[in-house]
Amino acid sequence: MASFKFRLQKVLAYRASCETEAKNLYLAKRSEVLAIEAIIGRIKQRRLDVLSEPRSALDHFRHLEAELLRLDDEEREENVVLSVLNDEAEALRISWTRHKQELETIEKLRERAFDGWTYEMNRREQAELDEWSVLRRAA
């Protein structure tokens, strides 16, 4: 019995590699987004820590104001970076989804081709068995 050979196997392999690459790019970008979100969380926690410190002198309040302004600037910068990264991650997610759909399309074609091949092999085997039984009865 001949083995199944999918005529678009190279296309299937190419699409699988494209899908894997797109997924890896998306996941890498998501990890960058999560890292920036963690930085923003640390900035917010630092702000809470600074605000909870007891202050009594005017110099302490000036230091507090300067520290809060610095933290606000840092958070604003990180939010800009986060916005850009989120946009890039969304574009990569869309690309990954498109590559995934293309791969699934080729996989469905492969399944259909395999089903057709299996049907043809079963039909040939049945024809051989029918011929064998006819020859055996004739003998």
Side-chain angles (χ1 to χ4, degrees):
M1 186 178 197
S3 64
F4 174 70
K5 298 214 187 245
F6 183 51
R7 62 186 175 92
L8 298 174
Q9 186 62 40
K10 289 183 180 181
V11 174
L12 178 64
Y14 173 74
R15 294 244 173 117
S17 68
C18 287
E19 187 268 341
T20 301
E21 182 179 343
K23 177 177 72 171
N24 290 339
L25 288 172
Y26 169 70
L27 292 176
K29 191 59 70 175
R30 280 297 300 154
S31 69
E32 289 179 37
V33 167
L34 293 175
I36 296 297
E37 287 174 348
I39 290 171
I40 292 172
R42 286 193 298 270
I43 291 171
K44 288 179 180 181
Q45 183 59 45
R46 177 70 182 130
R47 179 181 294 115
L48 292 175
D49 293 343
V50 166
L51 288 172
S52 66
E53 293 175 2
R55 307 279 180 187
S56 59
L58 184 58
D59 286 341
H60 293 281
F61 285 111
R62 285 186 194 153
H63 176 68
L64 172 67
E65 182 180 9
E67 183 70 16
L68 290 176
L69 286 174
R70 187 184 64 78
L71 289 172
D72 287 343
D73 289 342
E74 282 183 28
E75 185 175 4
R76 198 172 308 112
E77 289 172 8
E78 295 299 333
N79 280 328
V80 168
V81 171
L82 180 63
S83 175
V84 169
L85 287 177
N86 276 330
D87 291 344
E88 292 173 357
E90 181 61 19
L92 289 171
R93 186 194 62 77
I94 290 169
S95 173
W96 176 33
T97 302
R98 183 177 47 84
H99 285 291
K100 191 173 179 181
Q101 288 172 345
E102 291 173 355
L103 175 62
E104 288 172 354
T105 300
I106 296 294
E107 286 175 340
K108 286 179 184 176
L109 287 174
R110 184 186 185 287
E111 289 174 14
R112 287 185 186 154
F114 181 73
D115 290 345
W117 177 81
T118 304
Y119 175 78
E120 183 62 27
M121 288 295 110
N122 288 340
R123 190 190 64 72
R124 285 182 186 176
E125 183 180 348
Q126 187 60 47
E128 288 176 10
L129 288 174
D130 290 346
E131 183 181 341
W132 179 75
S133 67
V134 166
L135 291 176
R136 184 172 174 170
R137 285 189 187 174

